[in-house]
Amino acid sequence: MSRNLPVLVAALLFAVGYGLCATQYPAFLTTRVVGNLLTDSAFLGIVAVGTTFVIIAGGIDLSVGSVVGFTTVFLALAITRWGIPPLAAFGLVLAAATLFGAAMGALIHVFAMPPFIVTLAGMFLARGAGFLLSTESVPIDAPLYAAVSDLALALPGGGRLTLTGGIMLAVFLAGGVLLHATRFGATVYALGGSRQTTALMGVPVGRNTIAVYALSSLLAALAGIVFSLDTASGTPLSAVGVELDAIAAVVIGGTLLTGGQGGLPGTFLGVMIGGLIQTAITFDGTLSSWWTKIATGLLLFAFIALQQGSVALAGRSGRRARTTAGAPVVRPAEARA
Amino acid sequence: MSDTPLLSVRGLSKSFAGHQALAGVDFTLRRGEIHALLGENGAGKSTFIKTVTGIVRRDAGEVRLDGVPIAPRSAEESARAGIATVYQEVGLLPNLTVAQNLFLGREPTRFGLVRGRAMRQRASERLAEFGLAIEVGAPLGSFPVAVQHLVAIARAVDLSAQALILDEPTASLDTHEVTVLFGVMRRLAERGIGIVFVTHFLEQVYAITDRITVLRNGRLVTERETAQFPRLDLVRTMLGRDLAEEEARAETGPRAERTAGPPVLRAEKLGKAGYLQPVDLSVAGGEVVGLAGLLGSGRTETARLLFGAERPDQGRILLDGKPVRIAGPRDALKHRLGYCPEERKTDGIVADLTVRENIVLALQARQGPFRPLGRAAQDRIARDFIAKLDIRPPDPERPIGLLSGGNQQKALLARWLATEPRLLILDEPTRGIDVGAHAEIIRLIRSLCEAGLALLVISSELEEIVTYSDRVIVMRDRAQVAELADGAIDVTAILRAIAAEAPRTAPACQPEPA
């Protein structure tokens, strides 16, 4: 129960926040706002899915923002200068990013290096590589891009679920299945509980660690593709600091930074709360958009306090259960025999 | 069933950096028997377990399971071969559910998806065989340690274990939980599984085991049927003393009459459920009180409760006759208590810091971070104690990790003496130091005591305890069992107290009604 508390609180907060916005700006009740909320959150959401895996597995990935930036530049150059068809370029960059993530995972596992340092190095590497390709913004004018920007599912009520918003929802769904209903998902939680114990229980730790970081980078590259589709350009400066936004969304969604607990529904809510704040500030029109950051910061504080509180509470009730409920829980062996 | 023993170990040897941890140990485990593996600290029990299960590589010897030689290279391989180990720390993941823990890595799947309901169903069935009816979808960490142990055993057995090694599974369990665990162990033994049971509780050895193997200093001392192994013999064998010899020996010379003053520290019914049964003790200035007992008998636990390193849940502590609250080591320091822990390497010295820094550590801690000790004062204190305790080499700026064990111990003593304590608790002050330093430490203990310090000394070296103690408190199975004063202190008396039959009402030993 207390494990789900942060998610419930996040859901409640989102609902209350949305309700408040709706009383202020009736447009919030239209599907148009809902559609835009999804589209605007799309690329952060995709990154946050990967970050959720990494954090539940007890790690951290600081390189995702740089991977997004690299991806956008690479795509812009590949499509406009090198004449690679967009779909092939997508495939290339996804594969390259996956390898990049796998290499970081391998370093973390083989040399028992802290993920923070390895992915920090990865962050500089990817960002630097992006700037090597181009130091300025490169517009993309492929027909595919034009076509995609018009591609959307019309929602009843005039809203549009864009392709990018759809991709995010699909990634959340697929990620949810992977995390919550497969052996790999169970292993991710196990790794976050204790790498050593997981190894002692006979689960291959190295392979799974590598897979987690590869997945995170793969999703970052996918987010980069979405970003590039949205902006129809590529710049090495794109998505600076997005890794931190993703971590914030994951934590607000109730995933413990220490690993082993959390889930994707919470991350989805975390991303949506961030998007909601941004939308509300846009609607207001008078506030500086940087208020988004301040609100996110305050929320993070509140949520971490809530998590610590509920963990402490769970600990206390657990101990009480040990003394009072101990007897009925354990049926004496002889009772059965 | 065939005649080949289930697990047969012959001539197992292992040495670490020149130290022979196991020397040609033989061990036989039959099907359906519960076999106690006993020995004091350093006897080689854990090395034995690690070597058999392949966590460390053996130097020589043969391990046969069911007559087939095996050489696992990891705990995982050994589990697959059929030998599973459950350690005191439950080797499972508290953040996963019970069912996930049981089936991690081998979950039933369909089209790559875990069949959650089928998995929980099977988990419930498995655990029902162990008399456990719990919600298998709940996180493991929400259950008491005993249940977690049973789940760990269930996982091990389910992985087709034929031989099960239980390394101190009962250390943190209460009486009822031990009873349940024993029930499961008996049931498994009936199914033909052989169980190696490592424990420090003698009562439990007699309550459940069929045979006993005793190791000492890496060697096999004896293997006997439990029923034909009297308690006193067992204790003697474990400690390596010949009782007849002890009795023949003249009592240690009469000690100088010391008139102990009023108690500096008194503990009244100090205890903690599942950790230590209430103890009463008092130490006066100029008095040495010895705490004797086997490993795991509750000696260190007593010290930790006194020092506030563990929170007692009953009883009280009086200093100079006034009740005080010691909520943590900081409070203890404030009341001028000192504690030299047993694990010098992990709990005591800070190896990379210099001798000077190590010596002033506790004093600085008491002063708090805002009143730093000046360098001149540090130098003076360090030089003072290096001279007084004859720490060698007498270089205050040498990293303490480079000193010998005896000198590290002296520096630790200096650390506490620098805080001018009223009471000093020494936990195994002579462990792991050479004979010369040994005598010196004992001389130091005596001179400290003559200077009016109150001392509580924990030691496994019975002769040593006899030579310096004014009173000896004997512990067994986490309870105080005897207190010997002046004339009555000798090795034999201590041995007898340790080995004495516990009264029927003693906890952790109630045999199950069969």
Side-chain angles (χ1 to χ4, degrees), chain A residues 77-163:
Chain A
L77 291 179
I79 294 167
T80 59
R81 305 251 169 98
W82 308 333
I84 300 174
L87 287 178
F90 292 170
L92 270 178
V93 80
L94 288 177
T98 308
L99 279 178
F100 178 70
M104 290 195 298
L107 278 176
I108 289 164
H109 172 70
V110 175
F111 298 107
M113 295 216 267
F116 189 95
I117 300 297
V118 173
T119 60
L120 185 68
M123 173 178 121
F124 285 122
L125 268 174
R127 189 65 74 187
F131 275 103
L132 268 188
L133 289 180
S134 165
T135 49
E136 54 206 24
S137 176
V138 182
I140 305 173
D141 51 2
L144 176 79
Y145 274 63
V148 161
S149 66
D150 293 333
L151 201 63
L153 200 66
L155 298 173
R160 299 165 75 238
L161 178 61
T162 56
L163 180 70

Side-chain angles (χ1 to χ4, degrees), chain A residues 1-3 56 177-204 256 258-262 314-315 317-319 321-323 325-337, chain B residues 55 75-76 80 87 90-97 100-102 104-109 112-115 128-134 139 142-147 150 155 159 172-174 176-177 179-180 182-184 186-187 274 512-514:
Chain A
M1 181 63 219
S2 64
R3 277 153 76 91
I56 290 178
V177 171
L178 186 64
L179 183 61
H180 298 290
T182 65
R183 279 189 189 174
F184 173 69
T187 311
V188 168
Y189 282 93
L191 285 174
S194 160
R195 292 172 60 82
Q196 206 189 345
T197 307
T198 307
L200 280 178
M201 287 171 80
V203 176
L256 288 186
T258 45
Q261 270 183 45
S317 63
R319 230 170 304 149
R322 189 191 145 85
T323 47
V329 166
V330 187
R331 210 171 347 132
E334 242 55 22
R336 260 189 86 256
Chain B
I55 293 173
E76 189 196 337
R80 229 178 291 137
Y87 292 97
V90 183
L92 296 179
L93 296 154
N95 61 320
L96 298 191
T97 67
Q100 279 178 321
N101 268 294
L102 273 176
L104 187 68
R106 52 195 185 98
E107 296 92 342
T109 57
L113 298 185
V114 173
R115 297 167 59 209
E129 295 169 25
F130 289 83
L132 269 182
I134 56 176
S142 63
F143 294 103
V145 188
V147 174
L150 291 179
R155 179 180 162 95
L159 284 169
S172 47
L173 306 190
D174 67 27
H176 173 73
E177 293 166 339
T179 314
V180 173
F182 280 7
V184 168
R186 288 207 183 92
R187 200 123 24 101
E512 235 176 302

Side-chain angles (χ1 to χ4, degrees), chain B residues 22-218:
Chain B
L22 280 181
V25 172
D26 293 347
F27 182 83
T28 308
L29 179 69
R30 292 173 196 141
R31 279 185 192 73
E33 84 169 349
I34 301 176
H35 194 136
L37 181 64
L38 303 178
E40 281 289 274
N41 225 348
K45 287 173 310 199
S46 31
T47 312
F48 177 82
I49 294 174
K50 284 185 188 153
T51 316
V52 167
T53 55
I55 293 173
V56 299
R57 189 150 308 173
R58 58 192 181 226
D59 296 343
E62 192 187 44
V63 179
R64 280 172 183 271
L65 186 69
D66 241 341
V68 183
I70 58 165
R73 278 167 303 173
S74 67
E76 189 196 337
E77 273 190 36
S78 128
R80 229 178 291 137
I83 308 175
T85 313
V86 176
Y87 292 97
Q88 182 182 347
E89 298 81 28
V90 183
L92 296 179
L93 296 154
N95 61 320
L96 298 191
T97 67
V98 173
Q100 279 178 321
N101 268 294
L102 273 176
F103 290 106
L104 187 68
R106 52 195 185 98
E107 296 92 342
T109 57
R110 182 189 291 152
F111 311 126
L113 298 185
V114 173
R115 297 167 59 209
R117 190 170 305 163
M119 184 169 87
R120 286 193 292 277
Q121 171 85 32
R122 271 160 65 177
S124 297
E125 288 165 16
R126 292 287 188 291
L127 291 179
E129 295 169 25
F130 289 83
L132 269 182
I134 56 176
E135 168 54 44
V136 293
L140 182 74
S142 63
F143 294 103
V145 188
V147 174
Q148 299 188 24
H149 268 296
L150 291 179
V151 174
I153 294 172
R155 179 180 162 95
V157 171
D158 207 35
L159 284 169
S160 77
Q162 306 169 57
L164 192 59
I165 302 175
L166 303 180
D167 189 0
E168 285 196 62
T170 53
S172 47
L173 306 190
D174 67 27
T175 318
H176 173 73
E177 293 166 339
V178 168
T179 314
V180 173
L181 177 69
F182 280 7
V184 168
M185 283 167 66
R186 288 207 183 92
R187 200 123 24 101
L188 290 176
E190 276 164 27
R191 275 165 53 178
I193 291 172
I195 299 175
V196 179
F197 181 50
V198 178
T199 183
H200 290 299
F201 297 100
L202 292 189
E203 309 299 338
Q204 295 179 358
V205 170
Y206 284 95
I208 185 128
T209 65
D210 304 309
R211 280 194 305 156
I212 297 174
T213 290
V214 179
L215 299 182
R216 197 172 65 233
N217 298 329

Side-chain angles (χ1 to χ4, degrees), chain B residues 419-438:
Chain B
T419 65
E420 291 163 356
R422 288 185 297 184
L423 171 85
L424 193 53
I425 305 169
L426 304 177
D427 198 347
E428 297 283 4
T430 54
R431 160 146 315 144
I433 63 183
D434 59 65
V435 184
H438 211 112

Side-chain angles (χ1 to χ4, degrees), chain A residues 34-72:
Chain A
V34 177
N36 286 347
L37 190 56
L38 290 174
T39 306
D40 293 344
S41 316
F43 107 97
L44 176 63
I46 296 171
V47 172
V49 170
T51 302
T52 309
F53 274 86
V54 173
I55 291 182
I56 290 178
I60 195 96
D61 189 349
L62 299 178
S63 70
V64 285
S66 300
V67 171
V68 171
F70 174 83
T71 305
T72 63

